[in-house]
Amino acid sequence: MRIGIGYDIHRLVAGRDLVLGGVGISHEKGLLGHSDADVLLHAVCDALLGAAGLGDIGHYFPDSDLRYKGISSLLLLERVGETLSAGSWQVGNIDIVLIAERPRIAPYIDEMKANIARALGLPPSRIGLKATTNEGLGSIGSGEGIACYAVALIVEQEK
Ligand SMILES: [Zn+2]
């Protein structure tokens, strides 16, 4: 049994779609990045890769690679899940804390959990997802970006 942690942050800018946990959210700004910039899924990918001792998402999907330009991070998460399975790991559970001042995340949480569960072939009950604001403090509090922490437990697959 192993544990991993992931953290990511992306800048909020005008003219981009906001995608969090694979859910398109109506908002006046979106996250800046090479892929769809889904900060939540990137943190989850890094937690899973970290638990397996496999480096980070930038190593597997470099932002210099045009194949990943605008790609849905759900596909990256699926790929990470397959990499873990190939290494005889299965996901125990994942817990996530998303830090966003705006928009309100609560209405989307069930759909985000369902997306993650589907990408990894898990029941949604294995995914914890909380959203919090930064109480107006600092750059996240002023809406310059959205950050996310995730932890993941992985267990060795029975042969
Ligand atoms: Zn990212």
Side-chain angles (χ1 to χ4, degrees):
M1 184 182 295
R2 298 226 209 137
I3 191 167
I5 183 168
Y7 169 78
D8 197 22
I9 184 166
H10 282 258
R11 193 177 285 274
L12 270 171
V13 296
R16 292 267 305 181
D17 293 330
L18 180 60
V19 183
L20 291 170
V23 180
I25 297 174
S26 173
H27 192 50
E28 76 269 15
K29 289 180 175 178
L31 295 173
L32 183 63
H34 183 68
S35 64
D36 62 0
D38 192 327
V39 66
L40 191 155
L41 296 185
H42 293 178
V44 170
C45 285
D46 270 358
L48 291 169
L49 290 170
L54 290 173
D56 68 11
I57 192 173
H59 170 79
Y60 283 89
F61 314 109
D63 61 10
S64 55
D65 192 327
L66 284 176
R67 280 179 300 169
Y68 304 124
K69 186 167 164 53
I71 195 173
S72 165
S73 296
L74 277 173
L75 294 176
L76 305 184
L77 180 62
E78 258 180 55
R79 209 82 65 79
V80 167
E82 288 161 12
T83 304
L84 257 63
S85 295
S88 293
W89 293 107
Q90 63 185 30
V91 180
N93 73 299
I94 297 169
D95 197 16
I96 304 159
V97 181
L98 183 74
I99 311 165
E101 205 65 26
R102 284 188 332 110
R104 230 170 74 75
I105 304 299
Y108 307 103
I109 282 187
D110 284 346
E111 197 180 346
M112 291 175 182
K113 281 179 163 179
N115 283 343
I116 297 164
R118 201 180 315 112
L120 294 171
L122 295 173
S125 59
R126 303 272 189 97
I127 319 283
L129 173 47
K130 285 95 57 184
T132 182
T133 70
N134 216 34
E135 291 290 337
L137 295 167
S139 52
I140 297 174
S142 65
E144 286 178 53
I146 293 179
C148 189
Y149 294 92
V151 292
L153 193 78
I154 60 172
V155 292
E156 230 147 6
Q157 253 161 10
E158 317 261 326
K159 293 270 158 60

